[in-house]
Amino acid sequence: TERSERPNYLLSAIRREALNRLGQYEKLEGLKIKTTVDFGVQEAAIHTLSEHLNDIEALKEYDFPKKADFDYDAKKAPDYLQGSIVVLDNDTGDIVSAVCGRDFAQSEFNRVWDARRKAGTAITPFVYAAALEEKKIGPWDLVLDAPFDNRKVMVGGTVGVLGEWGTEREENRYEGEIPALYALVRGKNGSAVRVGQKVGVEPFAEFLRKAGFSGKPTGYANMYLGEGTVSLLELVHAYSAIPNRGVLSGE
């Protein structure tokens, strides 16, 4: 491919992995590295990420720096919207595609391996999974969907009622006692915290460790709503256990 079209983020990650395994040899010739990357999927992922972020930047209400306006000659770090994509083989755990940013020439930071962000409500399926594993609830057991004091979780503010943060609407409609499975699907934050309390902070931290998360747990109830930081690769790998009936890909 042309240099401008090369998947430089991915090639950089492969090079780093090779050097970690083989060492910094001055003379290393004739080496062939085979990867699990599907470059058809890789090309589609690059296009998809670019298309979606461009669409966001094109919105009338979007009032932030845009990639099209970035002045590369100013030699400053880009402050426009970024994103990343990773695709894994659910059976083997092999990386099929990894898009680590929008433009390697403008920012070499690897957002698949190296970026750590708060997981937010993407962590809530693991709250319910931990509760199911510990036999604290069943899918059809009732959990309470009702206002929850933010001071008990310290997410979305130190005052007020939990719910204005995450998948729930700004104006919440509380439904009282509802099945746990329904609460998960509907993104009921208060219910997720109540289910997490049945598990406990330390057992949930251990459950996350077994799911492949390497970050240090916060040690507080805000863990149940994803206050701890994770990498995208960790999060996607952990989600592989869902279609694999509890087994992480590659294990």
Side-chain angles (χ1 to χ4, degrees), residues 3-250:
R3 187 171 184 81
S4 61
E5 297 177 350
R6 294 175 65 196
N8 288 313
Y9 283 111
L10 195 54
L11 293 174
S12 178
I14 292 169
R15 180 179 183 276
R16 182 173 64 177
E17 178 67 16
L19 291 175
N20 286 340
R21 290 174 178 263
L22 301 174
Q24 298 281 348
Y25 293 107
E26 292 183 3
K27 294 182 179 179
L28 195 61
E29 299 177 356
L31 183 66
K32 292 183 179 180
I33 298 176
K34 294 183 178 180
T35 76
T36 56
V37 175
D38 182 320
F39 282 93
V41 177
Q42 179 73 10
E43 183 178 350
I46 292 172
H47 175 75
T48 298
L49 180 65
S50 176
E51 185 178 60
H52 280 278
L53 296 184
N54 287 339
D55 286 346
I56 293 172
E57 291 181 339
L59 295 173
K60 290 183 178 180
E61 60 269 29
Y62 187 84
D63 190 26
F64 301 96
K66 300 178 181 180
K67 186 177 187 300
D69 299 330
F70 178 69
D71 183 4
Y72 183 71
D73 293 331
K75 299 187 183 301
K76 63 179 181 178
D79 55 358
Y80 53 76
L81 185 64
Q82 290 283 358
S84 54
I85 294 175
V86 63
V87 180
L88 299 183
D89 184 308
N90 272 337
D91 293 329
T92 64
D94 293 338
I95 294 176
V96 178
S97 171
V99 185
C100 310
R102 294 178 78 178
D103 192 321
F104 186 81
Q106 295 178 2
S107 171
E108 296 183 11
F109 183 60
N110 189 312
R111 294 167 181 81
V112 170
W113 276 267
D114 300 333
R116 299 194 68 85
R117 302 288 298 273
K118 294 179 181 180
T121 51
I123 213 72
T124 55
F126 299 97
V127 175
Y128 288 85
L132 288 168
E133 185 174 270
E134 296 293 326
K135 300 188 186 320
K136 300 296 184 180
I137 61 168
W140 307 113
D141 289 346
L142 298 180
V143 297
L144 180 61
D145 172 35
F148 200 102
D149 191 332
N150 268 339
R151 290 171 295 181
K152 295 182 180 180
V153 288
M154 302 297 282
V155 171
T158 58
V159 297
V161 175
L162 181 69
E164 67 274 10
W165 182 87
T167 58
E168 298 182 56
R169 296 177 177 84
E170 185 175 349
E171 296 182 1
N172 290 312
R173 181 170 66 89
Y174 297 106
E175 301 182 64
E177 297 281 353
I178 56 177
L181 180 60
Y182 178 80
L184 170 61
V185 171
R186 297 295 295 173
K188 299 290 187 174
N189 290 334
S191 299
V193 174
R194 290 180 172 95
V195 171
Q197 289 175 329
K198 294 177 182 291
V199 178
V201 168
E202 291 186 7
F204 183 56
E206 175 61 19
F207 185 85
L208 292 179
R209 188 193 65 77
K210 291 191 296 182
F213 294 103
S214 63
K216 183 179 179 180
T218 68
Y220 299 98
N222 56 22
M223 291 173 55
Y224 308 137
L225 293 177
E227 191 71 3
T229 60
V230 303
S231 73
L232 178 61
L233 186 59
E234 285 178 346
L235 187 61
V236 173
H237 185 228
Y239 262 80
S240 72
I242 297 175
N244 291 340
R245 297 180 179 272
V247 179
L248 291 171
S249 61

